Amino acid sequence: MEYYNTTSENAQQLQAFKKKTETQTDKILEFFRDQPAVEYGASRVHLALFSNNTPITSTRRSISNLVKDEKLEYSGRMRKGNYGRNEKLIKFKTV
């Protein structure tokens, strides 16, 4: 999975961030794989899987990458998220 190096990190730090990104993305994919019929918004996924030490933007990035890789998909429905705003619902993409 991708880590966007927008802060010009050095090679060693960049490698650590990329590894962390892979772990976050793997957790999200496994979460949806275990519940293929359930739809979640990004804020609910974030709340279920990560502590406050993980930014919600990291969760959204992982979800966007998984949608791009055709492992997850947007259901076409929306629900109010944890921050009081509507958010798109995501589900596991079945073949």
Side-chain angles (χ1 to χ4, degrees):
M1 291 293 134
E2 295 181 48
Y3 172 80
Y4 301 101
N5 190 15
T6 59
T7 54
S8 302
E9 300 295 336
N10 65 45
Q12 183 179 6
Q13 191 66 45
L14 184 59
Q15 200 61 13
F17 288 155
K18 284 182 180 181
K19 182 68 176 164
K20 190 171 184 178
T21 296
E22 290 172 8
T23 302
Q24 291 168 349
T25 302
D26 290 343
K27 280 184 179 180
I28 292 169
L29 183 58
E30 190 66 28
F31 179 77
F32 279 101
R33 189 178 285 139
D34 288 345
Q35 307 173 76
V38 181
E39 301 172 354
Y40 289 96
S43 65
R44 300 286 167 111
V45 173
H46 182 75
L47 184 65
L49 295 178
F50 304 110
S51 68
N52 287 335
N53 295 333
T54 303
I56 182 71
T57 52
S58 293
T59 302
R60 293 183 191 284
R61 183 214 54 245
S62 289
I63 289 170
S64 293
N65 288 340
L66 288 165
V67 169
K68 184 177 81 175
D69 292 344
E70 298 186 359
K71 295 178 181 177
L72 300 179
E73 64 184 352
Y74 292 106
S75 70
R77 297 172 4 129
M78 296 178 85
R79 182 179 304 146
K80 189 167 290 208
N82 294 352
Y83 300 103
R85 300 281 191 134
N86 282 336
E87 58 185 8
K88 294 179 183 178
L89 298 181
I90 304 112
K91 62 182 185 174
F92 185 72
K93 186 169 184 174
T94 55
V95 179

